[in-house]
Amino acid sequence: MRKIGLGLLILLACAPALYWAPWLSADAAQQRAEASFTSGWTGVVDGCGINCQGCGSVGAERVPFGWRVELEYACGLLPADLPEHHRRTVLFVSAFGTVHRVNQQ
């Protein structure tokens, strides 16, 4: 019983730090999101990437337990590098540095 109480106390003490994640900056979250997205398409012929005009991290917003990062990217062979051929996706970078896809537009 005493171990459970101690564990609960430690969890309650760490929760605010994990909620805010002050060790993870916007730049670090954007870099992690871009690296994760790029590595997911490594080796795919005509895959998706962020090496187009205006692509990459469009913005980052602090959310509970991490960052919400929006990426703009393009897929396949494009007739022209125009914004109407680009796509966007939202990634969540957690307080632990893991990257998770939230949605795709």
Side-chain angles (χ1 to χ4, degrees), residues 59-63 66-69:
E61 175 186 3
R62 186 179 292 276
V63 294
W67 286 85
R68 177 188 178 276
V69 179

Side-chain angles (χ1 to χ4, degrees), residues 39-83:
S39 70
W41 288 100
T42 302
V44 178
V45 178
D46 288 342
C48 298
I50 57 172
N51 57 344
C52 48
Q53 189 72 20
C55 292
S57 179
V58 178
E61 175 186 3
R62 186 179 292 276
V63 294
F65 303 105
W67 286 85
R68 177 188 178 276
V69 179
E70 188 172 356
L71 287 180
E72 186 167 329
Y73 64 97
C75 295
L77 295 173
L78 300 176
D81 192 4
L82 299 172

Side-chain angles (χ1 to χ4, degrees), residues 77-100:
L77 295 173
L78 300 176
D81 192 4
L82 299 172
E84 57 261 17
H85 299 297
H86 296 173
R87 302 176 186 176
R88 288 193 177 200
T89 189
V90 176
L91 302 172
F92 173 73
V93 182
S94 75
F96 299 111
T98 58
V99 181
H100 310 274

